Structure formats: structure tokens, C-alpha cells
Amino acid sequence: MTERVYNFNPGPAVLPLDVLRQAAADLVDYQGVGMGLIEMSHRSKEFIAIIDNAESLLRKLLGIPDNYKVLFLQGGASSQFYMVPMNLLGPDKAAVYLNTGTWAKKSIKEAQAFGRITVAYSSEEDNFNRVPAHDEYLVADDAEYLYLVSNNTIYGTQFPSFPGNGKMLVSDMSSDILSRKIDVSRFGLIFAGAQKNLGPAGVTIVIIRDDLLDKCPPSLPAMLNYKTHADKGSMFNTPPCFAVYVVGEVLKWLDDMGGVEVMEKRNEEKAALLYNEIDRTPYYRGHAEKLSRSRMNVSFKLPSTELESRFIGEAAALGLQGLKGHRSIGGCRASIYNAFPVEGVYKLVAFMQEFEAANPA
Ligand code: PMP
């Protein structure tokens, strides 16, 4: 096999090599059944075991209480931007949103079609370089929920903690699910596209408190109603079998690694290595304010766009790939999700030091 590069892409992103190898074998012959993984019926006992196992591992690893349902849906995380308000709001109902980046902004726009939306905080004027402290915004009493994006993939900001104001939380955790311990019981709904910390693109996990399912308007199209999927165990229609399988294998890997607590420690270590380097020299400028720094996506700039292009090109030639920042903010971004190895972070830090020495500002 070609030597593996260090893959800093923001998603789809690096997955554990053992998971890829197992998937490659199972794709051709699933555990000796004489059929490949993606040829099997989704109603077969093999696939039912796969989806049940993925769900029970997710429940174990995140500590999901029994009064929550886990759904495996399609349509990407972006479909949740409208499914959440369609199901949980109505024309006379209100919700509060925090505008901390592109994905929050998109979900606000979608929600406005389905309820009264208040944007209680926005860091847009500062190019989304921070998330608010919890006393920086007000949540109206009549709001059904407070919506926040726990980790802002593009800007490299992350809520260090979640508000404890008693309001039901709804969170897009696409880019940091399973990267740290959370108390699921504070959330009415959590969703995450799989393609960062969980597996391949194609499946979106929704964790929803079961009393909310009774609020989903029966008039919604069946596919857009959470209750449909909850009632049918995510088997109302053909689920994205391959993506669900890979998620299950990633969860097994995570469990074998020691679970979320071990991952959280590893993620803190990896992020600290990069932020220490950014803090060591003015040559690299972090985008996020210190208290808002993400442990998943580290966004930074160099003294000029020319130096940034050279940096990204030379890094790629050394096997440090995917460091180009999102087009909306430019610069560089190192995405260091759960499966990203610490050795790659050491290699990037060493390269940052060599590059600075060789290319004075
Ligand atoms: N939310 C967040 C936090 C994201 O990072 C992304 C994608 N990068 C999305 C939502 C959109 O996900 P999808 O492409 O699966 O619709």
C-alpha cells in the first residue's frame, strides 16, 4: 500500500486504518456469508445486527439515557437545519439561536420558515472568531429550545461548556460528537453528520428525547417526520447500510481505545501541541479567541497569503495534507478529529518551525 499521508481534511476526514481494512474485506464477503456488505438486504439478520450494534455502542459511549431514541438518517447534517424546526416548532412557536458561524447561520435561515426565531448572539462582525460566554445572551422564556453549534468547523471555535440555564438545548455536533464527554440529558436533540468523527458521509445521527416525538406534526411528509423513523427503528426506508456499518466499526474502535474519556484527553493533548506553537510565535496567528478555541479544527494564518500557499504546498509534499482553510476565511486549518494520530500533529509542529525559520515574514 502507498504510505498513508497525515490527513488534516475537515470532512470527509481520516478514519482508523483498521476500520478501513475491515471494511475493505467485508465489502467483498461479509463475514463469510458469501455476499458483500453492500449487497445484503437491509432486512437481513446480519444488517439488523450491524445497526443494533452501532446504536448500542453509541448509547454506551455517549451515555445516552433510555428515554432517547437514536436515528440513522440521510440528507446530511444540512437536512437537520429544517427538520429540527419543522418537527419542534410551528408558526406560533419560538426558538433562540446563537449565530457562531456558517452552519449556525444556515440553520437560522432555514428555521425562520417554521417558527419565530430570535438570534440572541452573533459573532459575525468579528468573522466568527468566538463563541459567547453563557451570560452574554438572553433566552426568552417562551422559547421551545436554544440552538447552538457545539463546534464551528470552519472558524475553529467550540463551546467549552454548555449553558445550564434550564432551557432545552438542541445542538449540531457534526464536528465534535464523541470527542468529549457530554451530559446528553441537557439536550432535547443532538445531530451529527458522520463524516468527521463517526465514519463516511451518507448517514446523519439524530439523538432525540422521546417526549418530543409526540410534538412532530403528523401532517409532515413521512420522511421528514422524526416519529416515522423512531417508530420504525430507522428502517422506514432503506437506510444507508454501508455508512451505518462503518459508523459501527468506528464506534468499536473508539470503545477499544478506551471510550470518550480517553479520546477527550488525547484531543486535548493534540490541540495543545498546535496552540502552543501558535502562541510561541507571532508568525502564526490563530483565528479563534483563546477561550473559544476548538480542539477539533485549528484555524490559523501566516504573515501573507503567498506564504500560506507555499506553506500548504510544502506541507502536502511532506505528507501533511488538507491544510487549506475554508474559502470563507482563507488561511490554514488543521482538522484533528478523534482518528487523527498524535504523530501527525508532532510532524506538523516540526514543519511549522522549519517553515518559519526558512521563510521570514
Ligand atoms: N454542521 C457542521 C458543524 C458542519 O461542519 C457541516 C459540514 N462541514 C454541516 C453541518 C453540514 O453537513 P452536511 O454536509 O452533512 O450537510
Side-chain angles (χ1 to χ4, degrees):
M1 180 178 149
T2 321
E3 200 184 328
R4 260 168 91 72
V5 300
Y6 289 113
N7 176 2
F8 290 94
N9 276 306
V14 58
L15 290 174
L17 183 57
D18 286 348
V19 168
L20 298 179
R21 289 208 166 108
Q22 186 64 51
D26 286 341
L27 202 58
V28 181
D29 181 10
Y30 183 72
Q31 318 255 313
V33 299
M35 240 188 273
L37 172 67
I38 54 175
E39 300 175 298
M40 295 182 328
S41 166
H42 62 294
R43 308 272 175 207
S44 63
K45 68 177 189 325
E46 287 82 10
F47 183 73
I48 289 172
I50 287 172
I51 196 165
D52 286 351
N53 202 38
E55 174 174 342
S56 57
L57 271 170
L58 187 69
R59 285 185 176 279
K60 172 182 166 193
L61 290 164
L62 266 186
I64 302 175
D66 290 344
N67 62 325
Y68 284 73
K69 291 276 188 299
V70 173
L71 312 178
F72 296 92
L73 304 184
Q74 302 191 55
S78 299
S79 290
Q80 297 310 309
F81 300 169
Y82 59 82
M83 273 183 80
V84 165
M86 260 180 145
N87 281 272
L88 305 187
L89 296 179
D92 54 333
K93 290 197 177 156
V96 172
Y97 279 63
L98 304 179
N99 183 20
T100 55
T102 302
W103 306 112
K105 204 174 160 182
K106 287 193 174 175
S107 61
I108 290 165
K109 183 159 178 277
E110 299 275 84
Q112 279 161 344
F114 301 104
R116 287 188 289 119
I117 304 303
T118 306
V119 179
Y121 171 85
S122 175
S123 48
E124 189 163 13
E125 281 190 2
D126 297 314
N127 205 6
F128 297 121
N129 67 348
R130 66 191 299 268
V131 295
H134 300 310
D135 57 4
E136 276 186 76
Y137 53 88
L138 288 173
V139 182
D141 283 346
D142 67 346
E144 299 289 321
Y145 60 81
L146 168 62
Y147 182 104
L148 51 92
V149 180
S150 59
N151 183 73
N152 298 281
T153 325
I154 295 175
Y155 305 91
T157 65
Q158 184 175 30
F159 281 90
S161 66
F162 293 101
N165 51 18
K167 186 58 74 183
M168 180 177 91
L169 304 177
V170 169
S171 187
D172 173 356
M173 294 196 185
S174 294
S175 53
D176 69 351
I177 192 163
L178 289 163
S179 70
R180 57 174 166 174
K181 276 181 70 181
I182 55 162
D183 175 1
V184 174
S185 69
R186 286 162 73 177
F187 299 83
L189 189 149
I190 293 169
F191 67 87
Q195 65 270 25
K196 295 153 200 305
N197 258 337
L198 284 169
V203 65
T204 302
I205 308 278
V206 174
I207 301 163
I208 180 168
R209 213 174 62 204
D210 54 17
D211 59 290
L212 298 174
L213 295 167
D214 299 327
K215 294 194 177 180
C216 303
S219 57
L220 292 180
M223 280 296 286
L224 301 186
N225 192 323
Y226 290 127
K227 194 160 180 342
T228 307
H229 300 287
D231 288 349
K232 300 285 183 189
S234 302
M235 290 279 204
F236 172 69
N237 71 324
T238 319
C241 300
F242 179 70
V244 171
Y245 158 89
V246 181
V247 168
E249 293 299 309
V250 170
L251 294 174
K252 270 186 221 161
W253 168 83
L254 214 159
D255 196 28
D256 291 345
M257 293 286 290
V260 173
E261 246 163 81
V262 170
M263 256 325 124
E264 180 166 9
K265 242 180 119 255
R266 240 171 70 115
N267 290 330
E268 275 168 18
E269 280 168 22
K270 287 187 291 182
L273 287 168
L274 280 173
Y275 288 121
N276 287 344
E277 178 57 18
I278 286 170
D279 291 340
R280 185 190 61 78
T281 163
Y283 192 82
Y284 298 106
R285 278 176 298 121
H287 180 74
E289 279 189 5
K290 279 193 183 172
L291 294 177
S292 299
R293 284 173 164 177
S294 166
R295 293 168 184 166
M296 297 278 96
N297 311 95
V298 179
S299 293
F300 58 96
K301 297 216 155 141
L302 274 71
S304 69
T305 48
E306 291 72 34
L307 285 170
E308 281 165 359
S309 312
R310 194 182 307 163
F311 178 89
I312 292 161
E314 287 184 17
L318 290 173
L320 302 165
Q321 293 197 10
L323 285 165
K324 195 168 169 19
H326 190 271
R327 59 195 175 282
S328 57
I329 64 164
C332 303
R333 169 177 50 175
S335 296
I336 45 173
Y337 300 117
N338 283 351
F340 191 93
V342 66
E343 298 76 31
V345 178
Y346 278 113
K347 192 164 171 185
L348 175 57
V349 169
F351 173 69
M352 287 167 82
Q353 293 174 358
E354 286 158 25
F355 188 87
E356 179 184 1
N359 299 276

